[in-house]
Amino acid sequence: QVQLVQSGAEVKKAGSSVKVSCKASGGTFSSYAISWVRQAPGQGLEWMGGIIPIFGAPNYAQNFQGRVTITTDESTSTAYLELSSLRSEDTAVYYCARGTAAGMTPFEYWGQGTLVTVSS
Amino acid sequence: QSVLTQPPSVSGAPGQRVTISCTGSSSNIGAHYDVHWYQQLPGTAPKLLIYGYNNRPSGVPDRFSGSKSGTSASLAITGLQAEDEADYYCQSYDSSLSGSIFGGGTKLTVL
């Protein structure tokens, strides 16, 4: 079955960047959209952006334009999220999620989450 | 402030029926974009519960159902059970934002 395994927790300084990975297994990586969703402590879910590997062009949420980069490596079935100019408000659990054959959503499979802590 | 509005909390006794609303606008639910629902148990990743109006992934009991009318959608849970206690989120697409959006989430408490 499909599994998304994310990289481990990160502690970063404000102003720096973080790169989180999401390795997929058990499916055709290139054809399915991968999105990134974050959840600040005690808060709700926030979509950051997504990409369909076979097309390559990411779509970013307006709130993150200019600070977020989503890429994929089809050779390793891995998606990446890079967030720059980190601030304390970026402290959150970051999830990758896979869409279905029908489109970017719904998010049928989720990674286990990666906690990113931003300290000043 | 989320584009999709959900009540912060709902509650019900075991065996009862509860509904969770998700109110949007003409640029998302009202524009006939699909609405999906997720269940998030404490400390875990969200799980897809309902997709595309009222479809359930394999393994989701038929106690869960979705509906939509105008610019709103609802999740109904019948025969409430203790293990249903979780946070629930609606999701859709917004044409003004050109991206996916979530509701603020609703905490369900089973009394």
Side-chain angles (χ1 to χ4, degrees):
Chain A
Q1 76 272 17
V2 175
Q3 273 196 309
L4 302 176
V5 178
Q6 299 182 221
S7 50
E10 302 262 13
V11 179
K12 293 291 183 180
K13 290 283 190 185
S16 67
S17 298
V18 67
K19 192 169 186 176
V20 181
S21 68
C22 170
K23 184 172 176 58
S25 62
T28 305
F29 178 76
S30 299
S31 305
Y32 293 88
I34 293 285
S35 284
W36 289 90
V37 176
R38 78 176 186 181
Q39 185 170 37
Q43 302 300 310
L45 304 174
E46 183 176 26
W47 179 77
M48 301 179 69
I51 188 170
I52 302 176
I54 198 170
F55 295 134
N59 179 26
Y60 300 130
Q62 291 181 4
N63 284 351
F64 297 97
Q65 290 275 3
R67 280 211 305 146
V68 67
T69 305
I70 295 173
T71 56
T72 60
D73 182 343
E74 292 184 61
S75 68
T76 59
S77 300
T78 303
Y80 298 92
L81 168 77
E82 186 167 19
L83 187 62
S84 62
S85 302
L86 290 170
R87 35 210 190 225
S88 58
E89 311 90 89
D90 293 318
T91 294
V93 175
Y94 290 76
Y95 294 103
C96 61
R98 201 199 81 165
T100 68
M104 185 78 77
T105 65
F107 300 150
E108 191 173 12
Y109 299 98
W110 293 72
Q112 82 277 19
T114 296
L115 175 62
V116 175
T117 304
V118 181
S119 64
S120 52
Chain B
Q1 195 83 354
S2 302
V3 178
L4 301 178
T5 301
Q6 298 181 232
S9 64
V10 297
S11 62
Q16 284 190 332
R17 178 181 186 269
V18 297
T19 61
I20 298 172
S21 61
C22 174
T23 303
S25 68
S26 58
S27 61
N28 42 69
I29 298 176
H32 307 291
Y33 290 109
D34 283 341
V35 178
H36 316 301
W37 291 90
Y38 299 86
Q39 176 193 61
Q40 187 178 32
L41 299 171
T44 68
K47 168 191 167 184
L48 180 62
L49 202 61
I50 296 286
Y51 65 96
Y53 179 64
N54 190 21
N55 300 294
R56 289 182 305 278
S58 172
V60 174
D62 58 6
R63 301 187 296 105
F64 296 90
S65 63
S67 63
K68 191 169 76 166
S69 177
T71 57
S72 295
S74 290
L75 172 71
I77 309 172
T78 59
L80 207 55
Q81 299 179 4
E83 57 261 37
D84 298 333
E85 190 160 287
D87 293 324
Y88 293 84
Y89 294 90
C90 60
Q91 178 195 35
S92 187
Y93 178 87
D94 190 277
S95 57
S96 298
L97 298 173
S98 299
S100 185
I101 52 174
F102 284 99
T106 299
K107 182 175 181 58
L108 168 63
T109 300
V110 180
L111 302 170

